[in-house]
Amino acid sequence: WISVVSFGIVGLFYVGIYSLRRKDPFLLAFGVLCLCIAVYAMTRGERIVFDLFGDVPAWLFLRIQMVSTVCAGLAMFVYLRQAFRDYSSAVVCRAMIGVGILFLIAILGFFDLVYRSWFLVIHSVYISVPFLYVTYVFLYAAMHRVRESLLLTMSALALNWHIFMQNVNVYFAVPMFTFPPFEAFLFPLFLSLLMSLNF
């Protein structure tokens, strides 16, 4: 619930800000990113999606989980290209957005794929790439001493801790909340402070 509420409120906030400030599309991308992470958090750990909506069918549950992660990756690449144009690669971002769209088509159009182990492995690799790449971009920007580099570095560390805990849970069955989910506050907080300073 902490993760869902933290990312959900920040996501809605930035979608709302974008509706008032259309000249900054990175606000919408960041808002969608946070909302997608909130939706994904509903399907992991305690799986509170079942508390909210009752007995969700397995086919729908898997698609909610996979679509939310792919959309988070797409939103991340759009955000990086809009907000960190000087430090991100247009080729990499466009290529990964294209691959993400193909993933969405496969997930929604071919029902059997989500049950294939090889497809799940490829999906896991794809959703790891944007979070590794955003770490590279943030640290690269921080090395060039962009405004408030410390906030970028801290947000990258918080995001990677979040991804690390997700992977430890999935691959090593470590309980989801062995450690308090501080990163659910810190990642959106640091980037929100950065964007507020730019305003």
Side-chain angles (χ1 to χ4, degrees), residues 1-10 38:
W1 275 110
I2 291 173
S3 297
V4 172
V5 172
S6 297
F7 282 105
I9 288 176
V10 172

mmCIF file of all heavy atoms in Angstrom, residues 1-10 38:
data_model
loop_
_atom_site.group_PDB
_atom_site.id
_atom_site.type_symbol
_atom_site.label_atom_id
_atom_site.label_comp_id
_atom_site.label_asym_id
_atom_site.label_seq_id
_atom_site.Cartn_x
_atom_site.Cartn_y
_atom_site.Cartn_z
ATOM 1 N N TRP A 1 0.823 -1.204 0.000
ATOM 2 C CA TRP A 1 0.000 0.000 0.000
ATOM 3 C C TRP A 1 0.859 1.257 0.000
ATOM 4 O O TRP A 1 0.535 2.261 -0.626
ATOM 5 C CB TRP A 1 -0.954 0.003 1.202
ATOM 6 C CG TRP A 1 -2.214 -0.747 0.948
ATOM 7 C CD1 TRP A 1 -2.599 -1.926 1.496
ATOM 8 C CD2 TRP A 1 -3.267 -0.356 0.059
ATOM 9 N NE1 TRP A 1 -3.822 -2.299 0.999
ATOM 10 C CE2 TRP A 1 -4.254 -1.348 0.120
ATOM 11 C CE3 TRP A 1 -3.453 0.735 -0.795
ATOM 12 C CZ2 TRP A 1 -5.430 -1.286 -0.635
ATOM 13 C CZ3 TRP A 1 -4.635 0.790 -1.544
ATOM 14 C CH2 TRP A 1 -5.595 -0.201 -1.456
ATOM 15 N N ILE A 2 1.990 1.223 0.728
ATOM 16 C CA ILE A 2 2.889 2.383 0.744
ATOM 17 C C ILE A 2 3.381 2.686 -0.667
ATOM 18 O O ILE A 2 3.361 3.834 -1.125
ATOM 19 C CB ILE A 2 4.081 2.137 1.690
ATOM 20 C CG1 ILE A 2 3.604 2.111 3.147
ATOM 21 C CG2 ILE A 2 5.148 3.211 1.515
ATOM 22 C CD1 ILE A 2 4.670 1.699 4.137
ATOM 23 N N SER A 3 3.823 1.649 -1.369
ATOM 24 C CA SER A 3 4.325 1.839 -2.729
ATOM 25 C C SER A 3 3.224 2.326 -3.661
ATOM 26 O O SER A 3 3.416 3.246 -4.464
ATOM 27 C CB SER A 3 4.909 0.525 -3.262
ATOM 28 O OG SER A 3 6.006 0.110 -2.493
ATOM 29 N N VAL A 4 2.058 1.713 -3.568
ATOM 30 C CA VAL A 4 0.949 2.067 -4.462
ATOM 31 C C VAL A 4 0.519 3.514 -4.243
ATOM 32 O O VAL A 4 0.360 4.286 -5.195
ATOM 33 C CB VAL A 4 -0.246 1.116 -4.245
ATOM 34 C CG1 VAL A 4 -1.479 1.613 -5.027
ATOM 35 C CG2 VAL A 4 0.113 -0.291 -4.687
ATOM 36 N N VAL A 5 0.345 3.892 -2.991
ATOM 37 C CA VAL A 5 -0.113 5.253 -2.691
ATOM 38 C C VAL A 5 0.958 6.285 -3.050
ATOM 39 O O VAL A 5 0.649 7.328 -3.641
ATOM 40 C CB VAL A 5 -0.504 5.370 -1.199
ATOM 41 C CG1 VAL A 5 -0.804 6.823 -0.834
ATOM 42 C CG2 VAL A 5 -1.736 4.520 -0.916
ATOM 43 N N SER A 6 2.222 5.988 -2.720
ATOM 44 C CA SER A 6 3.302 6.945 -3.005
ATOM 45 C C SER A 6 3.404 7.226 -4.499
ATOM 46 O O SER A 6 3.360 8.378 -4.943
ATOM 47 C CB SER A 6 4.638 6.410 -2.488
ATOM 48 O OG SER A 6 4.602 6.270 -1.090
ATOM 49 N N PHE A 7 3.545 6.167 -5.283
ATOM 50 C CA PHE A 7 3.683 6.347 -6.729
ATOM 51 C C PHE A 7 2.379 6.835 -7.353
ATOM 52 O O PHE A 7 2.396 7.624 -8.301
ATOM 53 C CB PHE A 7 4.135 5.047 -7.384
ATOM 54 C CG PHE A 7 5.596 4.755 -7.218
ATOM 55 C CD1 PHE A 7 6.039 3.791 -6.319
ATOM 56 C CD2 PHE A 7 6.541 5.447 -7.955
ATOM 57 C CE1 PHE A 7 7.387 3.528 -6.167
ATOM 58 C CE2 PHE A 7 7.897 5.193 -7.804
ATOM 59 C CZ PHE A 7 8.320 4.222 -6.904
ATOM 60 N N GLY A 8 1.246 6.364 -6.832
ATOM 61 C CA GLY A 8 -0.032 6.756 -7.400
ATOM 62 C C GLY A 8 -0.328 8.240 -7.247
ATOM 63 O O GLY A 8 -0.740 8.917 -8.194
ATOM 64 N N ILE A 9 -0.091 8.776 -6.061
ATOM 65 C CA ILE A 9 -0.355 10.200 -5.823
ATOM 66 C C ILE A 9 0.584 11.070 -6.653
ATOM 67 O O ILE A 9 0.150 12.051 -7.277
ATOM 68 C CB ILE A 9 -0.226 10.531 -4.325
ATOM 69 C CG1 ILE A 9 -1.411 9.932 -3.556
ATOM 70 C CG2 ILE A 9 -0.157 12.034 -4.104
ATOM 71 C CD1 ILE A 9 -1.345 10.118 -2.067
ATOM 72 N N VAL A 10 1.867 10.707 -6.685
ATOM 73 C CA VAL A 10 2.824 11.485 -7.480
ATOM 74 C C VAL A 10 2.450 11.412 -8.963
ATOM 75 O O VAL A 10 2.502 12.414 -9.686
ATOM 76 C CB VAL A 10 4.268 10.987 -7.253
ATOM 77 C CG1 VAL A 10 5.228 11.661 -8.227
ATOM 78 C CG2 VAL A 10 4.699 11.259 -5.820
ATOM 79 N N ALA A 38 2.787 2.073 -9.795
ATOM 80 C CA ALA A 38 1.750 1.849 -8.779
ATOM 81 C C ALA A 38 0.881 0.645 -9.140
ATOM 82 O O ALA A 38 0.567 -0.190 -8.280
ATOM 83 C CB ALA A 38 0.890 3.100 -8.633
#
